[in-house]
Amino acid sequence: MRVGKALIAALLVVVVAGCSNAEPPRPALSTSAPAPVAVLPSAPAAAKPQAHAIALAALPANLRGRVPQFSPAPPAATKVKLPTDGTAGWYSRIPTDQKVAFITIDDGWVKHPLALKLFQAADVPVTLFLEINAIKSDPQYFAKLQAAGATIENHTISHPDLRGRSYASQKHEICGGADQLATYYGRRPTLFRPPFGTHDTTTLRAAHDCGMKAAFYWKETTNKGKVRFQEGPGVKPGDIILMHFRDRFVDDFLGVLQAIHKAGLTPARLEDYIP
C-alpha cells in the first residue's frame, strides 16, 4: 500500500532533541500543576514499514549498520504471579523460558536528539521509567517516544533513596510521580522502579497502595556503550536491562540491542508479562 506524500513528509521532519554519567543537580519540585502534554497517536499499521525505513535512512550513515533487526516478540506465554499481601511484586528478571529480554530506560535528564529515530529504526518495545523533575523541562519529548511505541512508567518525583523513609514520604514520591505522568501522557503508570534500585517493605507497600502492580531491579546495566552482566556473560531469557537517558544514549541503546541480538533473544514489552 502506498503512503501519501504528506505522511512521508510528516515522518521526515519528526526529529527531536538524552544524562552524563554523573546525574546533574536535581531541581526542587515545583508545586504548580503540570501542563498537559498532547498525547500523540501511534502511526497507523499501514504506515509502520515506511516509518521504519524512513527512520533508518534518517540516522547518520555510521549508525545504520549498527541497528540489528529483530522478529516481532512472541506473545507472552505466562505472566508473573503478583503478591496478594498488599505489596507490589519485586522482579529483576521475568521468569520465562521464552527467548525475550526487556529494555528499560530511567530518569529523563538528557533528551538526545537521535532517540526518536533510534526507537523507530529499531522498532522494539521499550519501557521508560521517568522521573518528574527530570522530564518537566520538556515532557513533549517523551510524548513523541510514547507515540513511537515506548511505554511510560513511574520513577518518582525527585529521585530520592526511598529505603528507610516513612510510608507517607514514600507514598508521596510514588503516587505523585504516577499522578503527574498520567496528566502528561494520558495513562497512569502501573509499574515502578525505585531510584537506585533500593527499597524496603514500606516501598513495596506504598507502591501497591499507589496502584503499582510491580517494581523492578535489573540483571544488566549499560554505560558508555558497555553492557555489564551480573550473572556471567550474555543476556539470559527474561532479563531486565537497565540504561539511562545520558549523553552516550546512542552507544548505550545500540549496545543493548546488540547484546540482546547476540544472545539470540528478542526485545519484548515488560508490561505484557504483568497480569
Side-chain angles (χ1 to χ4, degrees), residues 177-195:
D179 291 343
Q180 293 193 39
L181 289 170
T183 300
Y184 282 147
Y185 303 113
R187 171 189 172 272
R188 194 175 190 276
T190 60
L191 306 183
F192 175 62
R193 173 168 281 143

Side-chain angles (χ1 to χ4, degrees), residues 12-77:
L12 282 168
V13 300
V14 181
V15 179
V16 295
C19 277
S20 61
N21 298 334
E23 294 177 348
R26 299 178 181 278
L29 173 65
S30 171
T31 57
S32 59
V37 170
V39 179
L40 305 177
S42 299
K48 194 170 185 179
Q50 289 84 353
H52 167 71
I54 291 170
L56 192 62
L59 288 175
N62 65 320
L63 298 182
R64 295 171 198 161
R66 296 173 60 190
V67 181
Q69 297 300 294
F70 299 92
S71 299

Side-chain angles (χ1 to χ4, degrees), residues 79-100:
K79 295 181 185 291
V80 301
K81 185 177 180 180
L82 295 174
T84 58
D85 61 353
T87 63
W90 176 252
Y91 308 94
S92 56
R93 169 184 285 138
I94 298 299
T96 179
D97 293 329
Q98 291 183 284
K99 293 186 175 182
V100 297

Side-chain angles (χ1 to χ4, degrees), residues 232-244:
V235 182
K236 311 296 191 298
D239 278 3
I240 296 169
I241 306 171
L242 169 67
M243 57 175 288
H244 292 79

Side-chain angles (χ1 to χ4, degrees), residues 62-262:
N62 65 320
L63 298 182
R64 295 171 198 161
R66 296 173 60 190
V67 181
Q69 297 300 294
F70 299 92
S71 299
T78 59
K79 295 181 185 291
V80 301
K81 185 177 180 180
L82 295 174
T84 58
D85 61 353
T87 63
W90 176 252
Y91 308 94
S92 56
R93 169 184 285 138
I94 298 299
T96 179
D97 293 329
Q98 291 183 284
K99 293 186 175 182
V100 297
F102 305 95
I103 302 173
T104 65
I105 312 178
D106 281 12
D107 295 345
W109 286 105
V110 176
K111 300 160 185 66
H112 198 286
L114 287 179
L116 178 60
K117 290 301 180 189
L118 282 170
F119 279 20
Q120 293 171 330
D123 192 22
V124 296
V126 179
T127 298
L128 312 181
F129 288 99
L130 299 183
E131 173 203 341
I132 299 303
N133 278 2
I135 69 170
K136 65 183 181 183
S137 64
D138 188 6
Q140 187 67 37
Y141 173 91
F142 300 95
K144 294 174 182 177
L145 301 184
Q146 181 186 38
T151 306
I152 293 175
E153 302 290 1
N154 187 11
H155 195 44
T156 73
I157 298 171
S158 62
H159 206 277
D161 186 341
L162 295 174
R163 183 170 51 193
R165 290 188 172 219
S166 69
Y167 172 83
S169 173
Q170 297 201 42
K171 188 177 180 183
H172 167 73
E173 283 283 345
I174 299 169
C175 288
D179 291 343
Q180 293 193 39
L181 289 170
T183 300
Y184 282 147
Y185 303 113
R187 171 189 172 272
R188 194 175 190 276
T190 60
L191 306 183
F192 175 62
R193 173 168 281 143
F196 314 106
T198 59
H199 73 289
D200 54 22
T201 56
T202 301
T203 310
L204 299 182
R205 182 164 61 92
H208 173 272
D209 294 348
C210 289
M212 306 295 104
K213 297 178 180 181
F216 296 90
Y217 196 66
W218 52 82
K219 285 296 181 182
E220 287 84 31
T221 61
T222 313
N223 191 25
K224 297 182 180 179
K226 181 176 179 59
V227 179
R228 294 173 171 82
F229 304 94
Q230 291 183 352
E231 298 179 355
V235 182
K236 311 296 191 298
D239 278 3
I240 296 169
I241 306 171
L242 169 67
M243 57 175 288
H244 292 79
F245 285 95
R246 289 175 171 156
D247 291 333
R248 295 280 296 273
F249 181 88
V250 171
D251 292 328
D252 288 349
F253 188 64
L254 292 175
V256 167
L257 292 178
Q258 291 161 3
I260 294 173
H261 191 266
K262 182 178 180 180

